[in-house]
Amino acid sequence: MTERSRAAQFTLHGTCGSARAGVLTVRGRTLDTPAFLPVGTYGAVKGVPPSMLAEQGAGMLLANACHLHDRPGADVVAGLGGLHRFMNWNGLLLTDSGGFQVFSLLDISRLDEDGVTFRSPVDGRPLRLGPQEAVDVQLLLDSDIAMVFDDCPPLPCEHSRLVQSVERTTRWATIAQAAHRERSAAGQALFAIVQGGLDDALRATSARELVALDFDGYALGGLSVGEENSDLRAAMTRYAPLLPEDRVRYLMGVGTPGDVLAAIASGIDMFDCVLPTRNARHGTLFTRSREGSGSINLRNQRWRNERRPLDPDCDCPACRDWSAGTLRHLLTNGDPLGSLLCSLHNLRFMHRLVAAARAAILAGTLPELLAEWAPPDAAESPSARPV
C-alpha cells in the first residue's frame, strides 16, 4: 500500500525518550495519542451511555467482531446502519477480529490451517472464523479500523507452538490483506498483529514479515495472556521498537495504570482493556489521592461513612457530585447507578492519565510524570483480555 492510499495516517508531534505523542487520522476522524480505548465487546461499554464516554475523554472505542458475528450478527448490524449507528458513537471505532477470544475457547473450538470452527458461547451453534471471514465480518460492521485474524496462543506455551503461531499469523495476514484490498470501501484501515510470545527472535521475525506487507498500523498481540507482569513490561520495551515509527503502535489487552504508563514510556500509542470498567463494577477504583494510592476497594467497610469524595482531585461525575459513602451504598446495594458512576470514574482516570502523559511528552517532562503517577504494583490487578 502506498502512502497516498494508506487509510490511516499517523502524525508524530513529539517524543520524550522512546515515548511518542501524535495524532491518528482515519476517515477524517482524529485521535490524540497516547490513547486508551474503552471496550464495548458486544457493541456497548457495559452500562455507560456513549455521550458519557465522550465526556470522560474517549476518542475511540473497541468492539469485538467475533462476538458481534455471534450476536446479533454482522448482517444485522449492517442492516441497522453499521456499527457507528448501532453503537450511537461518532468517534473512531476499532474492531478486534476475535483471534484471542476464539483461541481462549479451545475447549469448544477446532483449529485448522484455514481458521477456527467454534461453538457459540451463547447457544452452542457452530461458527466459523478465518482470515477472510474476519475481513468480511468487519467490512459489514464498517468499523474505522479492522484487525487481521491472528493465531494467539496462551503463555507459557511450547516453542513449537509459538513458531506455528508466527507462521500462521503471517500467512493469515497476507490472505486478509488481499481480501481487504479487493473489497474495502470508504477507507476502512487494516492493522496487523505481531505474535511471538516472549521469544525475541520470533517477535522480530513476525514484525519483519508483517511490516514488509505494509499495513495501515501495527499491534502487539499475545501479551497479557498469562505471563508475569515483569515479563509483560520488559516485553513492551523490547518489542515496541520493532514496529514502524510512521505507523500507530497498538498494545492489545493492557489496561492497568502502571502497565499503560510503562507501555507509553516504551513507545506504544494505543491501549485497550476491559479492566477499568470490569473492576469498577466490582468496586475496585483507581485513585491517586487516598492512602496507598493505586486502587481501593470501595466495598470495604471503611468507606461506609465517608463524606468526602472518592478522589478530590478527580473531575468525574462520581467524584464531583457524590460522597464515597454514597457510592459505596449504591454499589453494595446493586444499584446500576453505582456501577455507572464507578465505571465513569475509572474511565476518567485512564483518560486523564494518557492526556497527562501526552502533555508531558510534548513538554519533555515524562520522567517526572512517571514518578508522580505510577501507582505501586501491589495495588494493581493484572491487565485482562475480554473473553
Side-chain angles (χ1 to χ4, degrees), residues 223-357:
L223 295 172
S224 192
V225 291
E227 73 277 14
E228 294 292 331
N229 188 257
S230 58
D231 290 332
L232 167 65
R233 295 194 183 185
M236 299 173 189
T237 302
R238 297 198 306 272
Y239 304 148
L242 299 175
L243 307 182
E245 291 185 2
D246 65 341
R247 315 294 164 87
V248 74
R249 299 168 174 174
Y250 170 30
L251 178 60
M252 306 182 75
V254 169
T256 70
D259 287 346
V260 166
L261 283 171
I264 290 172
S266 300
I268 303 294
D269 307 305
M270 297 190 336
F271 323 87
D272 79 90
C273 195
V274 297
L275 192 74
T277 49
R278 178 185 290 169
N279 275 10
R281 295 192 299 271
H282 291 88
T284 300
L285 304 179
F286 304 137
T287 176
R288 296 174 57 216
S289 299
R290 296 291 185 179
E291 313 90 271
S293 65
S295 65
I296 64 167
N297 184 353
L298 192 60
R299 292 181 177 271
N300 285 348
Q301 191 75 7
R302 63 173 294 194
W303 304 108
R304 181 180 182 185
N305 298 312
E306 180 57 74
R307 299 178 62 179
R308 295 176 297 170
L310 172 69
D311 186 340
D313 295 331
C314 180
D315 59 359
C316 79
C319 295
R320 186 184 63 227
D321 300 328
W322 303 80
S323 70
T326 302
L327 290 174
R328 179 190 180 276
H329 163 72
L330 293 171
L331 200 64
T332 58
N333 200 43
D335 193 312
L337 179 59
S339 294
L340 168 61
L341 290 169
C342 291
S343 294
L344 291 174
H345 170 78
N346 274 2
L347 288 173
R348 182 61 182 149
F349 186 99
M350 297 303 298
H351 294 311
R352 289 173 64 219
L353 176 67
V354 296

Side-chain angles (χ1 to χ4, degrees), residues 3 15 65 108 115 195 301:
E3 180 72 23
T15 61
I108 55 173
Q195 288 290 344
Q301 191 75 7

Side-chain angles (χ1 to χ4, degrees), residues 18-39:
S18 297
R20 297 143 46 101
V23 174
L24 173 67
T25 303
V26 185
R27 290 173 166 171
R29 299 181 173 102
T30 61
L31 179 75
D32 287 345
T33 64
F36 176 77
L37 283 54
V39 176

